[in-house]
Amino acid sequence: MKPMLPTILSACLSLCCTCASAAVALTTLPDRERVMIRFEDSGQVLVEEARTLTLDKGTNQIGFTWLGVDIDRSSIQLLGAGGVGFNVIRATYPPGQENSLGWEVSATAAGAAQVRISYLLQGISRELSYRAVVSEGKDPRLSLRVYQRLNNASGENYDAAALRAAFGDLRDSPLASGEIRQQLSARFLEVPFTKRYIYDPAKGERVMVDYVLSNSADGKLGKGLLPGAKMRIFQQTGQSEAFLGEDVAKPTPLGEEMVLHIGDSKDLTVRRAQLETRQEVVQRDSDGHVVLWHQLTDMRFEVENFTGDEKRIELDEHLDGEWDVANPLQLLEKRIAPEKYEEAKGEADPAGTLERKDADNLVIHLTVPAGRRVVLTCTLRRLNRH
Amino acid sequence: MRLLALGPILLLLLLSGRATAAVGLVTIPERETVRMTIYNSVDLTLVQEARTLVLKKGRNRIQYQWAGTLIDTTSLELRALESQSDIEIVDVVYPPSSPATLIWELESAVEGPVRFEISYFTSGVTWSADYVLRASAEESTGELEGWVAVDNRSGEDYPHAEVRLVVGTINLVERIRDLATGQEMDRQRSLNRAEVVDARAVLSESLPAAAAPAVAGAFKAKRPEVLSLRLADYHIFTIGGVQAVTNGATTRFLAIVTKKAMDLEVLYRVPFRSDTADKLYRFIDDAEHQLPEGPLPDGMWHVFRVIDPATGALSFSGSARHAYVSPGEKVELELGVDPAIVVKQVHEAYSQSDHHYDPKGRLDGWIDHDRWRFKLVNTKAIPVSLEYLISGNGDWTVEGLGGERRSETLMRHLDTIKAGQVLELGPFSVLSRRGARGTAPIQPPKLPVQPLLPLPIIRTSGK
């Protein structure tokens, strides 16, 4: 059985303007002249068709019917774009025809009217993806490509369509029903990035590796919002590439950092220990019960760098209530035997810093020289408990 | 069978002397005019039909049938539009063997044609409003089209109706649809199949030919004017001319249109602790914004932006439902999160102060201090407005940031940010007084001074 092709039809009927009871006659069935498909960030797809209608002076009936496609009926607009002027008198959705709409328009003269018919169409989707390749060498850079994958499952054929999107360039091309088309939408070369090593006890005993890009002119990006999408990162290895990992990038506005978690580091280790917790009494009541106190916790962090390069790492601590940090001390050590360390006297030891990231998070920034271990001790004070 | 679904049919039967005597069918008058007043808050339409009946002196019987419709039987009224003092309706009869039928019996002192109005409530005809707002490329102005759509599922065609649409909330003690269907069911229960067949046969013989388009000329070859008027505590839109309100069809009319592009305000609403800005278009329903006098009924708004003024190409900004807008009231269309506006709120620190103890030395009150910073980056090419909503609970105040208290739990800070500019607020503190209040606090022990961060770590090696 031959399948019925889904089609969007437009029929223009003219109605004798002197006598409403006169029979209507089909005067023209205009084809689409141009189609623009716009992919919005919200996921909606707006289709605009340009057509030329031949109108009679007076009242004209324009039928718009769609078969096998899912159009948001309430979104359909008919707008004049040139030629004979007209007013839409009324729009009618005929009984029993969910996929049909009739406009009654009043034309000021007989002749051709250029119109745009726009509507929201379901079934066409767009998916963005990034592909990044890290160059070789001491100062590696990223080449970053953005692809837009267009999937036309709407049931409608578009032989030639102007494709537009809120982000990136799309080339005008046909988009047949059932077709998936992937276009290279944007390309950024020589993009600098930094690696960030993060230890977060809430995420397990591991050191996460993040790649951080800056959406700015200095960061060789900065052309606008970078949309959220999956990014796959590869390492250039001679003539081939190795896959490093992937992450879903969050939408990144101008001036912000795009942070991509690509995996864990095995050659940078952290051991976190809670050595002792004690109470410092602030106030007792008349019966001698403690009613206000500080809770003090002695902490020890051991960060060991098994690589041949100096690494910077962030140790996250999650705290609540009122808190501060007392007595932070840092010691640089070198391994002299398995499980045995001694102080690395006379070696360069960049001082770490403590940062109150916000009311609930402390970040300890440490720099660990190649092949060395840094031991940090401090006291976390949770104040004014009651 | 087909005829039973054709809606109200009026038969005029004249009785000579005694009401029980059978008489022949004299005439079936057509509707001369129909006025439909459609309410949007409830499923209710008042239909007023004008017909001319030819009366004889004495007792006249007028039969009215409405099978297949959703008419509320209790609302049916017949009223003479002329010679009222000579005409008296003396009885209304619902024959037991005829579903959806009534007979008015009236005494007339006049003879000849008399204009009557038959009115009733029906359900199944509804109307709704929807809007298209097209903002300019820079979003500083916009053009509005407000449409009203009349949807007829009543079972009855009204090919030439004056249509009035009422905006307002009216009280009904019973739903018209329940009244219509309930009555229909009650009455049909007592019928048997033979009676129904007989009734339909009578109707098929008596049905008039298709109504001539007597008022077809009233269809205007131009857009019908839609007038908005106040009606008691409601508003009423009157659609000019006569319209076809066809059963099963929905017809949309352009009711509200801006005379020229109106000014739009682009507002971003940022809730406390949120890192996203909700975009809103805001304007006032008034003449200054090129809008005709009258309210904007509740409905769905589709919002577009012209992205290429040369071609008029559009971008879809979003859809939002908006409640009824009184004349002079503001319209706020929520368009969702706009990534072009970057917001960061940082809860920098928390601390306590003013610990208070009862006479037994137990802690019974203190003040929480939450320190915040707010930053908004406007990456758009237009200035935008900010509505920052700070929330708290209990006895709370804000220090270091101006604003207007909107409720017990909400303070509003308003600002504007130029194109490409950054707004930074704070640090400001939210102070929340907890526990006992109203008495002078007992001085607590001196707390150690908290070190400020970032703080260098003391190195013990590598010096």
Side-chain angles (χ1 to χ4, degrees):
Chain A
M1 188 173 76
K2 186 179 175 185
M4 187 173 71
L5 286 176
T7 320
I8 294 171
L9 303 172
S10 173
C12 178
L13 312 169
S14 71
L15 200 70
C16 174
C17 59
T18 54
C19 175
S21 62
V24 294
L26 181 68
T27 55
T28 180
L29 182 67
D31 288 332
R32 284 195 291 241
E33 291 154 9
R34 292 180 308 283
V35 177
M36 188 171 87
I37 303 173
R38 183 174 167 84
F39 297 89
E40 306 291 356
D41 279 341
S42 61
Q44 297 271 20
V45 174
L46 180 69
V47 177
E48 288 192 282
E49 303 180 351
R51 302 195 190 216
T52 299
L53 304 179
T54 304
L55 299 179
D56 286 343
K57 185 177 180 182
T59 305
N60 297 259
Q61 195 80 29
I62 301 167
F64 188 69
T65 303
W66 56 100
L67 301 170
V69 292
D70 187 2
I71 288 177
D72 178 352
R73 204 165 77 154
S74 67
S75 71
I76 303 172
Q77 294 182 74
L78 173 69
L79 297 169
V84 170
F86 64 87
N87 279 325
V88 176
I89 299 171
R90 59 178 69 79
T92 304
Y93 303 101
Q97 298 177 42
E98 291 301 314
N99 298 333
S100 186
L101 162 65
W103 285 291
E104 202 171 313
V105 303
S106 173
T108 53
Q114 285 81 49
V115 300
R116 288 203 331 276
I117 299 172
S118 67
Y119 48 85
L120 294 173
L121 180 64
Q122 306 297 314
I124 291 191
S125 59
R126 175 188 63 145
E127 188 181 8
L128 281 109
S129 63
Y130 295 94
R131 190 178 194 277
V133 179
V134 182
S135 65
E136 295 176 293
K138 272 284 182 191
D139 182 23
R141 301 290 174 112
L142 282 176
S143 63
L144 183 64
R145 287 172 172 79
V146 189
Y147 295 92
Q148 305 211 40
R149 188 180 173 88
L150 313 176
N151 184 356
N152 181 7
S154 70
E156 177 70 357
N157 276 311
Y158 293 99
D159 299 331
L163 305 177
R164 300 286 181 273
F167 169 81
D169 298 326
L170 288 170
R171 289 183 307 285
D172 296 352
S173 63
L175 201 55
S177 178
E179 185 177 41
I180 297 173
R181 181 180 287 268
Q182 180 168 296
Q183 290 194 0
L184 174 62
S185 180
R187 191 172 61 165
F188 305 95
L189 301 177
E190 295 289 309
V191 176
F193 69 98
T194 55
K195 275 190 194 177
R196 191 177 284 167
Y197 297 90
I198 296 167
Y199 172 81
D200 181 348
K203 293 179 179 171
E205 293 294 317
R206 61 188 182 132
V207 174
M208 296 177 290
V209 183
D210 289 351
Y211 281 27
V212 183
L213 286 63
S214 171
N215 186 12
S216 63
D218 288 344
K220 298 286 180 72
L221 297 168
K223 289 187 176 173
L225 175 87
L226 288 171
K230 185 165 80 174
M231 183 183 294
R232 285 187 166 151
I233 301 177
F234 296 83
Q235 172 72 55
Q236 187 77 45
T237 55
Q239 294 300 309
S240 65
E241 294 172 351
F243 179 55
L244 296 180
E246 66 181 20
D247 194 10
V248 177
K250 291 178 182 165
T252 309
L254 270 177
E256 297 290 307
E257 288 183 339
M258 177 181 273
V259 179
L260 301 153
H261 171 62
I262 66 155
D264 296 344
S265 169
K266 298 295 183 192
D267 296 328
L268 194 60
T269 62
V270 175
R271 181 175 174 272
R272 171 184 178 273
Q274 204 165 299
L275 301 178
E276 183 190 338
T277 298
R278 59 190 181 281
Q279 200 177 60
E280 191 175 281
V281 175
V282 177
Q283 179 74 21
R284 292 179 187 275
D285 65 13
S286 56
D287 296 329
H289 299 127
V290 176
V291 293
L292 189 69
W293 69 93
H294 302 330
Q295 181 179 301
L296 279 55
T297 307
D298 292 335
M299 302 293 300
R300 179 183 169 93
F301 299 90
E302 299 169 358
V303 186
E304 188 159 8
N305 180 1
F306 291 94
T307 74
D309 302 311
E310 180 180 275
K311 301 288 185 193
R312 282 187 60 80
I313 187 168
E314 296 175 5
L315 310 179
D316 291 349
E317 276 296 312
H318 306 290
L319 298 151
D320 63 324
E322 186 176 358
W323 56 269
D324 69 4
V325 184
N327 306 320
L329 294 171
Q330 175 180 326
L331 181 67
L332 182 68
E333 295 180 337
K334 61 182 179 186
R335 183 196 293 257
I336 54 173
E339 301 291 315
K340 289 194 74 175
Y341 297 86
E342 67 176 20
E343 189 177 344
K345 291 181 180 170
E347 293 188 15
D349 180 17
T353 55
L354 304 177
E355 179 196 2
R356 188 190 291 268
K357 187 177 175 187
D358 57 38
D360 301 319
N361 291 288
L362 165 72
V363 180
I364 303 166
H365 299 273
L366 291 178
T367 302
V368 188
R372 294 289 179 262
R373 181 171 90 158
V374 169
V375 178
L376 173 79
T377 56
C378 62
T379 301
L380 303 179
R381 303 198 308 169
R382 293 172 173 88
L383 304 170
N384 295 320
R385 303 271 143 171
H386 47 79
Chain B
M1 215 169 146
R2 180 179 66 87
L3 295 171
L4 276 176
L6 281 179
I9 296 166
L10 186 65
L11 308 177
L12 179 62
L13 305 109
L14 300 184
L15 292 176
S16 56
R18 295 171 53 188
T20 53
V23 293
L25 179 69
V26 175
T27 182
I28 308 167
E30 291 173 2
R31 291 172 181 142
E32 291 162 5
T33 62
V34 179
R35 174 179 291 160
M36 305 178 73
T37 307
I38 310 168
Y39 295 75
N40 70 339
S41 63
V42 289
D43 183 6
L44 168 70
T45 296
L46 171 64
V47 179
Q48 294 161 296
E49 304 177 350
R51 305 198 191 213
T52 298
L53 308 181
V54 180
L55 300 182
K56 291 201 166 182
K57 281 187 180 175
R59 184 65 64 91
N60 295 259
R61 301 182 77 206
I62 299 162
Q63 180 175 306
Y64 195 75
Q65 294 181 310
W66 59 92
T69 69
L70 292 168
I71 289 174
D72 166 20
T73 312
T74 64
S75 68
L76 273 161
E77 287 182 6
L78 178 69
R79 184 170 67 94
L81 296 175
E82 52 198 37
S83 306
Q84 285 100 335
S85 59
D86 297 322
I87 298 167
E88 193 72 44
I89 296 170
V90 294
D91 220 343
V92 182
V93 179
Y94 298 87
S97 58
S98 303
T101 302
L102 72 72
I103 296 168
W104 284 293
E105 294 192 3
L106 56 86
E107 283 286 340
S108 174
V110 295
E111 190 169 286
V114 177
R115 290 190 76 232
F116 280 84
E117 180 188 270
I118 299 169
S119 66
Y120 52 85
F121 290 147
T122 183
S123 68
V125 183
T126 56
W127 74 274
S128 60
D130 65 272
Y131 303 85
V132 174
L133 177 66
R134 285 187 288 272
S136 61
E138 69 282 5
E139 298 182 289
S140 56
T141 61
E143 292 178 342
L144 173 65
E145 289 176 0
W147 296 78
V148 289
V150 177
D151 185 47
N152 181 4
R153 310 281 157 180
S154 70
E156 172 71 357
D157 283 325
Y158 299 94
H160 308 294
E162 297 171 20
V163 177
R164 304 193 306 178
L165 311 171
V166 177
V167 192
T169 304
I170 66 164
N171 186 46
L172 285 180
V173 295
E174 290 178 277
R175 295 198 316 158
I176 299 302
R177 183 177 291 269
D178 292 345
L179 287 170
T181 54
Q183 290 156 357
E184 188 85 0
M185 288 168 64
D186 288 343
R187 294 172 59 71
Q188 282 182 350
R189 250 179 247 129
S190 62
L191 293 176
N192 59 42
R193 182 176 171 76
E195 286 171 329
V196 174
V197 170
D198 288 344
R200 288 172 181 169
V202 169
L203 280 170
S204 72
E205 286 170 11
S206 58
L207 194 81
V215 289
F219 281 110
K220 303 293 184 189
K222 62 177 185 180
R223 181 180 294 161
E225 191 176 1
V226 179
L227 294 174
S228 168
L229 291 170
R230 190 175 283 278
L231 172 77
D233 291 319
Y234 312 134
H235 272 275
I236 190 162
F237 289 101
T238 303
I239 298 172
V242 293
Q243 309 297 335
V245 182
T246 309
N247 185 40
T250 305
T251 306
R252 291 170 84 221
F253 306 95
L254 188 57
I256 297 161
V257 63
T258 41
K259 293 169 191 152
K260 58 180 185 179
M262 64 174 169
D263 291 339
L264 278 183
E265 182 188 7
V266 183
L267 173 78
Y268 287 89
R269 180 171 290 154
V270 181
F272 198 34
R273 301 166 191 265
S274 169
D275 280 348
T276 56
D278 293 319
K279 180 179 179 180
L280 296 95
Y281 281 166
R282 191 155 76 173
F283 59 91
I284 308 292
D285 177 18
D286 62 9
E288 195 178 320
H289 288 80
Q290 314 301 325
L291 286 162
E293 196 176 338
L296 299 172
D298 66 303
M300 184 61 81
W301 291 65
H302 293 296
V303 182
F304 299 84
R305 187 165 71 91
V306 177
I307 51 169
D308 182 358
T311 63
L314 299 175
S315 160
F316 178 63
S317 302
S319 295
R321 179 160 280 281
H322 200 289
Y324 172 87
V325 180
S326 298
E329 199 183 1
K330 72 182 172 196
V331 177
E332 286 187 346
L333 298 171
E334 295 185 17
L335 301 173
V337 172
D338 185 350
I341 299 294
V342 185
V343 175
K344 271 212 159 135
Q345 296 190 55
V346 179
H347 182 200
E348 284 193 330
Y350 165 80
S351 63
Q352 294 177 12
S353 73
D354 298 82
H355 293 93
H356 184 274
Y357 303 90
D358 68 10
K360 290 194 170 182
R362 292 175 296 213
L363 182 68
D364 66 355
W366 69 94
I367 298 176
D368 286 333
H369 298 251
D370 289 280
R371 197 174 71 208
W372 288 84
R373 274 186 194 272
F374 176 96
K375 180 181 175 186
L376 184 147
V377 183
N378 177 14
T379 67
K380 297 172 77 77
I382 54 166
V384 299
S385 301
L386 165 71
E387 185 182 74
Y388 179 31
L389 301 173
I390 301 132
S391 54
N393 62 75
D395 177 8
W396 64 287
T397 51
V398 176
E399 286 185 356
L401 182 69
E404 174 199 6
R405 195 67 173 257
R406 301 286 289 173
S407 72
E408 199 173 31
T409 58
L410 211 61
M411 189 189 100
R412 181 173 70 176
H413 173 86
L414 299 175
D415 234 313
T416 54
I417 306 99
K418 291 179 181 170
Q421 297 291 302
V422 178
L423 171 73
E424 291 192 75
L425 302 174
F428 64 90
S429 293
V430 178
L431 275 60
S432 308
R433 281 160 285 279
R434 310 296 187 198
R437 295 162 51 201
T439 55
I442 296 170
Q443 191 61 39
K446 188 79 175 169
L447 296 175
V449 177
Q450 296 170 38
L452 292 174
L453 301 174
L455 176 78
I457 298 168
I458 308 301
R459 287 170 291 160
T460 60
S461 66
K463 295 175 184 172

